[in-house]
Every structure is written in structure tokens, then in C-alpha cells.
Amino acid sequence: MKTLISSDVRLLADLIRKGGVVVFPTETVFGIGASSFNEEACKRIYKIKGRPSDNPLIAHFSSIEGIKSVCEVREVAERLLCEFAPGPITLVLPKKNPNIFPKEMPTLAVRIPKNPVIREWIEECGSPISAPSANLSGRPSLTRMTDALRYFDGIVDGILVAEEPNLGIESTVVGLYEDPPVLLRPGSIESDQLKLFLPNLILPNVITKSGEFIPPSPGMKYKHYSPQAHVKLLHSETFVSEFLQCGKDSKTAWIGFSFGPTVDDDKPTHKIDPIRMKLVSSNWEYSSALYAFFESCDQLGMETIYCEEPREKSGKEGLLNRLQKASEAN
Ligand code: TXA
Ligand code: MG
């Protein structure tokens, strides 16, 4: 298939109106989208990704008015949207229009991306855009245009060239379809910020008394965010001591805040190939770099990626969740 790679939002909107599938960047990660009113095109996304068919898609809008036209937006939802949207928040709301994908669900996950170019493109498309993250199911989401091209050129109808993601992890997902509201997926907007609006926000209780696992969000039951390499999440002290011990092994990669003074006395840390070592200074920088680092490590055939635990500071919640999921999957 010939893929149109362009920054022209009109051309890319044309493809959507004709029933096409387009890869596009958001402030969180890349998405792979189709018109929310074209069931066939939405279903193609599942095939491309290898995504389980019961895992619903987020509908991306250019405005709050657009959301109101298809969902019930109660007062608290409106306040959350006014505060955090456009931005990395997804609300799961009761659906008003049953024709929007996925038709069989009574709720719809909605989000307004931050980049005005992406909102302009959605506006041009004339319908919301249903899109999961653009990655193969189970693998980390993509945050670099070069990776999006490598995976999707020749596979989708178009790739919209716009500013690359800078947050690096997927949006915070909040379920507002029942009381109390539920934090379905942590992200860059953290629970202490949400609790100012939702004092009774709860973490989902996924295990029943009989030990049965009932995920409130279908996505929770699937493997996520894991590169091909093994991921080891370590406390800071262990991270540094492991690095001093195994850092020289060329099949290991390292991402964290501190690498100790040297690998051994006569080899300074900075002599390690920078491609398998990423030094970060905050949880935000860590999140922003994480998936790109995972992707590079897989390209290089790394066997183990050692990750230092996040700092006890803002930006920890979403980052820790992704690191835990990536390391659990091994
Ligand atoms: O940042 C993001 O959210 C990115 C960009 C592209 O917008 N999108 C993204 O989509 O991460 P995806 O499909 O990879 O993750 C969406 C999550 C899944 O865990 C899914 O189960 C959940 O949202 N979800 C979607 N619709 C839902 C619904 N109606 N009820 C409960 N959970 C829902
Ligand atoms: Mg995803």
C-alpha cells in the first residue's frame, strides 16, 4: 500500500473521509486512527495492531462541544475538561449517540489532544477520530516519527507529520460512568490533581472476594508496554550496584538517574556506549524518553534493560505504572 506522508492536514483529512487509517502524533504517544463513524475502518485498526477485539478505542475530539454532541457531559466532567483538556486526559463517559464506535458499548472514552495542528486535522475530518496508541498490541507505544515510519509506512493510508510526542506515556484514563469515579490508567495528570475535582476517586478494585479478576477497563487484562528485551525495575541502590557489576556487558541497557562514579576505576561511566545508557534528571524526562529508549534497545538486540525506580516527586504515578507493567510482562 502507498502511504501518504505529509504535514498537510487537508490531504490527511481527505483520507479519513474516504475511510482510511492514519497514524498521527499527539502530546502523549502516536495514535493510529479512523473516523469514529466508520466501523469498518475502525476494525481495520484492530487487524493492523493485532489488538483484541474487546478492547475499545478512545475517540479524539477537537472541542468540548464535539464531546457533548455524542456523550453525556455532567458538571464534574465539564469541570475536568475545562481544567485539563486539551491535554493528556481521557474521560470515560455515558454515551448518547449509539452510532459511534464501538457501537455495542454504553460508554465512550474521549480525549482532546493538545497540539492545535492535530485538532485542526480532526476538525477537517468532520468526525471524531477513534484511535488506540500506534504500536503492535502489547508492545510499547511509539514516540518518534522514525519509529512510526518504520512500523507503518506501507501499512496505513497516511502518516500525519507534526510535532512528536513530548510526554511519552499514554493519557490518564478516568471512568466517570458510575459513582465513585475510577482511575482506570494513571498518567501525567496525577491523582492528587484529579482529587481536587473528584474527592472520592478510587483505584479500581480488580480482584473480587473469590479471587476472580474483573477488569473495569478491558485494556487492563492485557499485556502492555513491554519491549522484546527483559525489563528489570530496580531500587536506586541496587540499580547502581548492578550497573557497576554488569554495565560492561554489551547486551545490557540502563536508564536512570544515577550510575555511580565509574564502572571500574579506569573506565569512566561516560565511556559506555551512550546508546545503551540514558541518564535522566526528572520523572518527566524519564517518561518522555522511556519508550524511545525501549525501541532503540530492541533495534540493537539488547537482552536486558535495567530501569531505576522513579523519584518520589511529581510525574511518578504514570511512569511507575508503565515500568511495572513492562517488567511484569517478562
Ligand atoms: O494517550 C493516549 O491515550 C493515546 C493517544 C493516541 O491518544 N491512546 C491510547 O489508546 O493510549 P489505547 O487504546 O492504547 O488505550 C486506551 C485505554 C485502553 O486501556 C482501553 O481499554 C481503555 O482506554 N478504554 C477505551 N474505551 C474504554 C471504555 N469505554 N471503558 C473503559 N475503558 C476504555
Ligand atoms: Mg495502547
Side-chain angles (χ1 to χ4, degrees):
M1 164 179 286
K2 178 112 185 77
T3 300
L4 174 69
I5 300 163
S6 168
S7 57
D8 186 327
V9 292
R10 293 220 176 111
L11 291 180
L12 271 294
D14 271 350
L15 291 180
I16 292 288
R17 284 195 299 268
K18 288 177 187 147
V21 171
V22 168
V23 166
F24 61 101
T26 78
E27 78 279 26
T28 57
V29 298
F30 275 84
I32 171 169
S35 164
S36 304
F37 291 107
N38 188 328
E39 194 171 17
E40 208 180 302
C42 289
K43 286 191 170 159
R44 227 181 99 209
I45 295 173
Y46 284 76
K47 257 206 195 131
I48 294 171
K49 284 196 56 157
R51 183 179 177 97
S53 61
D54 66 347
N55 196 2
L57 306 184
I58 297 173
H60 296 70
F61 292 81
S62 58
S63 68
I64 298 181
E65 286 61 45
I67 295 176
K68 283 182 175 169
S69 70
V70 291
C71 288
E72 272 178 44
V73 179
R74 296 186 192 132
E75 202 191 325
V76 73
E78 173 126 29
R79 274 195 274 134
L80 283 168
L81 289 171
C82 288
E83 179 74 14
F84 299 115
I89 191 156
T90 295
L91 302 181
V92 182
L93 301 174
K95 205 193 262 180
K96 250 174 20 187
N97 183 337
N99 294 320
I100 194 161
F101 187 86
K103 284 184 184 168
E104 62 284 357
M105 283 196 81
T107 57
L108 182 69
V110 298
R111 150 163 152 73
I112 307 178
K114 184 116 188 149
N115 183 347
V117 174
I118 302 304
R119 298 204 301 274
E120 192 191 330
W121 168 63
I122 297 171
E123 192 71 38
E124 283 282 331
C125 290
S127 73
I129 298 296
S130 290
S133 49
N135 53 285
L136 304 179
S137 200
R139 295 260 174 248
S141 304
L142 304 180
T143 54
R144 290 182 299 207
M145 186 52 86
T146 44
D147 296 326
L149 291 170
R150 199 175 55 251
Y151 280 99
F152 293 105
D153 188 8
I155 307 283
V156 295
D157 300 280
I159 299 179
L160 176 53
V161 180
E163 196 181 319
E164 287 182 325
N166 66 320
L167 293 174
I169 57 169
E170 306 80 356
S171 62
T172 304
V173 182
V174 184
L176 291 178
Y177 45 82
E178 62 184 12
D179 207 45
V182 201
L183 180 63
L184 295 171
R185 181 174 71 185
S188 306
I189 292 174
E190 302 187 279
S191 36
D192 53 350
Q193 287 169 280
L194 294 168
K195 279 184 178 161
L196 299 175
F197 299 83
L198 304 167
N200 57 345
L201 180 74
I202 56 161
L203 294 179
N205 183 13
V206 292
I207 311 288
T208 64
K209 276 187 195 142
S210 61
E212 201 186 347
F213 177 76
I214 304 178
S217 174
M220 284 181 168
K221 62 179 185 254
Y222 297 111
K223 182 179 129 162
H224 275 306
Y225 323 118
S226 42
Q228 278 160 292
H230 290 268
V231 173
K232 283 195 180 174
L233 174 57
L234 301 176
H235 293 302
S236 294
E237 273 170 35
T238 325
F239 178 82
V240 172
S241 62
E242 287 280 306
F243 179 69
L244 294 175
Q245 232 180 330
C246 321
K248 280 178 285 185
D249 176 346
S250 63
K251 290 286 177 194
T252 64
W254 307 79
I255 182 165
F257 300 91
S258 47
F259 287 84
T262 56
V263 173
D264 56 34
D265 288 339
D266 57 349
K267 277 202 182 140
T269 306
H270 64 259
K271 288 207 174 145
I272 291 226
D273 188 349
I275 214 129
R276 53 183 197 87
M277 190 183 120
K278 176 77 189 166
L279 192 56
V280 294
S281 60
S282 68
N283 291 333
W284 300 113
E285 190 186 355
Y286 197 157
S287 298
S288 176
L290 185 68
Y291 291 153
F293 188 68
F294 280 178
E295 189 58 41
S296 295
C297 289
D298 277 354
Q299 293 300 309
L300 292 164
M302 293 292 142
E303 283 167 4
T304 310
I305 305 172
Y306 292 83
C307 302
E308 185 178 349
E309 66 185 343
R311 293 284 193 242
E312 286 301 328
K313 294 207 166 136
S314 75
K316 178 184 168 190
E317 211 170 83
L319 174 61
L320 181 63
N321 170 270
R322 302 313 188 271
L323 289 168
Q324 282 171 338
K325 298 255 175 184
S327 60
E328 270 164 22
N330 285 295

